Amino acid sequence: MESRSVEKVTDDEVLRLARELADRLAEPAGGAAAKTDLADGAPGIALALRYAAEVFDDDSYFKQGRLLLKRTAEASAAAPLLAPGLYLGAAGVVWTVTEYARLEPRYLPTLATMADRLARQTLAITLHTTAGSVASHDYDVMGGAAGWLAALRKAAGVLGGRATDATGEAADRLADYLVELTQDDGGRLRWFCAPSHFPSIPGPDGQPTPLPGYVNRFPDGVYNLGFAHGPPGILAALCRPDAGHAAGDARPHRVRQGVRALSRTLGALRIDGLHYPAWPNLLLPHPDSGRPDTDAPQVPARSAWCYGAPGVAASLLSASAACGDPEPTDLAIATLLGIDHTPAEYQRINSPTLCHGLAGLLTIYGRAATQTGVPELRRMHDEFLSRMCSYAHPDHPYLFPDYDPWGGREHSPGLLTGAAGVLLALLGTVSEAAAEWDELLFLTPRPPCGDEPGGTEAAIGGDRGVGEQ
């Protein structure tokens, strides 16, 4: 684990590590290259190589990324992606192809087909909004509607006039759905997860059965507060400037109302009695009202993007920008600064990777420092960078291993818990253009694309499929 001193890291050192890591990722990535999910498969590695190609002006990384996309296409043809999720399904492939289409217009026809297919896939899914009928994977950023919405809007922004009607229809429907989940009727909140909607495994009769561990721990259901599987992800998805897309109707106003309501709800659900803002992993329903029981004993979640205060703070910063309201920013800054005062046993920062480690914190704090101009956030960003880089060792196959809370080590080239995510975080510290990859973490509300290759027919240069050369 982390063994070297954490002195300030120079840009030259960052570039050296990033180059070495990109070279290793550009080599055959074993089993990861055969996987088709963004989280730990070929699309995530291809995304990291696409940004390495841009930063280092080295086309070999772009070519290797295209080969990975070709493998993804071949694997998907043999075993079609049945799940539409961003990190766990078809939307993740759409996201990566969109990133390649921004630089290589020949991907545009394929992207249009893929986005249309994803849109039709999501249009066929029943979206429940009644409290007790909603599972976290229905709406979350990992496998649910928040991720589908982001991928469809991103693709549509690059495609311009090539985007199909189904793509726009699906995105509007998903935005409306997420807004519905922000509504508070006075009883259970709509994103409450009942035991019948817990993650499941096949039961003795072959039918899905809720995981026994969840049922035993949360027999009355649960409210998930993590960015990855809870309302911070809903909030951040709605804060994309293109989430309320259709001009001339009430959607943008409804989206802003939903953003304000959900940001207030998140603020109210933080743990009382601490001298720094923090949130638990989850809250149980109150036995009488069914609402989140904030009076029950609570322990702060780990300090990460996926769960805990940094992810919540990132969503609040987006909410503030989306609505022009300074209050969420004030809470977000206090939250991010509060990590300095959070005991180490609650921080649980023990890995250099993206989802639950230092690469995620580095990216959150870099974006927050840029958005707010608060010097202390830049100072913390630099410290996280030094700590992350201290994990690098040439004997590790991808320089940066992932560590579990007990010190167990895994070597992965993937994005969420592997080296591809670390590479993206490194590149984002030395290149403003590369820092835009953080849109994948829902950190930055961006204006709709107006000058992307898809904006005019003249920019279209061919009709090759995913991974063709």
Side-chain angles (χ1 to χ4, degrees):
M1 296 183 63
E2 189 173 5
S3 58
R4 292 188 281 162
S5 61
V6 288
E7 299 175 356
K8 186 174 177 62
V9 178
T10 66
D11 286 354
D12 286 343
E13 175 68 3
V14 169
L15 287 168
R16 184 192 68 78
L17 283 173
R19 171 71 85 168
E20 184 175 354
L21 184 50
D23 287 344
R24 296 193 185 200
L25 287 174
E27 298 173 356
K35 297 178 181 178
T36 55
D37 60 280
L38 182 63
D40 63 354
I45 302 169
L47 182 66
L49 290 175
R50 170 250 187 271
Y51 277 97
E54 190 171 13
V55 170
F56 293 114
D57 193 22
D58 188 336
D59 193 51
S60 67
Y61 296 132
F62 195 82
K63 290 179 179 178
Q64 184 59 34
R66 287 165 55 186
L67 287 175
L68 287 168
L69 289 183
K70 184 176 181 180
R71 293 182 190 177
T72 298
E74 293 168 349
S76 299
L81 288 166
L82 300 179
L86 177 59
Y87 284 95
L88 305 173
V93 183
V94 169
W95 187 283
T96 302
V97 173
T98 302
E99 286 279 19
Y100 273 73
R102 289 176 58 199
L103 301 181
E104 183 57 82
R106 71 182 66 184
Y107 281 101
L108 289 169
T110 296
L111 176 60
T113 300
M114 294 177 65
D116 181 75
R117 186 182 302 130
L118 174 64
R120 295 179 188 280
Q121 188 178 12
T122 64
L123 284 169
I125 295 173
T126 301
L127 300 174
H128 299 284
T129 59
T130 304
S133 67
V134 179
S136 61
H137 59 261
D138 292 338
Y139 64 76
D140 67 16
V141 301
M142 290 300 208
W148 313 339
L149 172 63
L152 288 171
R153 289 299 194 207
K154 183 179 179 68
V158 171
L159 287 168
R162 278 182 172 262
T164 64
D165 290 342
T167 301
E169 179 186 352
D172 288 346
R173 176 179 183 246
L174 293 171
D176 289 342
Y177 167 65
L178 294 178
V179 169
E180 284 296 311
L181 294 183
T182 70
Q183 305 305 301
D184 187 347
D185 304 317
R188 283 191 174 94
L189 299 177
R190 296 194 181 188
W191 42 274
F192 167 75
C193 187
S196 57
H197 294 282
F198 284 164
S200 61
I201 56 175
D205 58 356
Q207 297 301 310
T209 301
L211 287 171
Y214 275 73
V215 176
N216 292 338
R217 292 175 62 197
F218 318 121
D220 299 316
V222 72
Y223 289 96
N224 193 315
L225 292 180
F227 194 108
H229 299 294
I234 297 176
L235 182 60
L238 288 175
C239 288
R240 290 180 58 91
D242 50 14
H245 169 71
D249 68 9
R251 181 170 290 110
H253 177 65
R254 293 202 309 273
V255 170
R256 287 193 295 272
Q257 283 186 319
V259 166
R260 290 190 180 98
L262 193 52
S263 61
R264 287 194 297 267
T265 297
L266 279 173
L269 294 180
R270 64 185 185 269
I271 299 173
D272 286 332
L274 300 176
H275 59 283
Y276 54 90
W279 286 258
N281 283 324
L282 52 87
L283 285 168
L284 299 178
H286 190 279
D288 296 326
S289 67
R291 296 179 67 80
D293 189 357
T294 55
D295 293 328
Q298 300 168 52
V299 175
R302 70 192 307 164
S303 299
W305 170 78
C306 56
Y307 278 88
V312 176
S315 72
L316 292 172
L317 279 176
S318 294
S320 192
C323 294
D325 182 356
E327 186 173 345
T329 289
D330 295 340
L331 177 55
I333 292 173
T335 298
L336 293 171
L337 295 177
I339 303 301
D340 262 355
H341 309 291
T342 304
E345 63 267 26
Y346 291 147
Q347 289 186 17
R348 289 181 284 164
I349 304 171
N350 66 325
S351 186
T353 48
L354 193 64
C355 182
H356 51 259
L358 287 158
L361 292 177
L362 175 66
T363 306
I364 289 173
Y365 277 78
R367 183 57 63 187
T370 299
Q371 286 181 259
T372 66
V374 175
E376 280 298 288
L377 295 180
R378 180 60 61 186
R379 188 264 305 168
M380 295 176 74
H381 164 273
D382 293 345
E383 290 179 0
F384 288 134
L385 174 62
S386 296
R387 290 174 62 182
M388 185 183 78
C389 290
S390 74
Y391 281 85
H393 196 286
D395 290 345
H396 299 315
Y398 302 108
L399 292 184
F400 294 89
D402 184 45
Y403 291 92
D404 64 31
W406 303 275
R409 188 169 62 202
E410 182 176 352
H411 303 288
S412 167
L415 188 140
L416 272 187
T417 58
V422 177
L423 176 57
L424 287 167
L426 287 169
L427 296 172
T429 69
V430 293
S431 166
E432 186 175 340
E436 292 187 0
W437 81 266
D438 69 7
E439 185 183 10
L440 179 58
L441 296 186
F442 295 72
L443 297 187
T444 311
R446 300 195 178 283
C449 302
D451 55 355
E452 299 291 356
T456 64
E457 290 295 318
I460 299 170
D463 196 24
R464 299 187 183 185
V466 174
E468 292 183 2
Q469 302 186 54

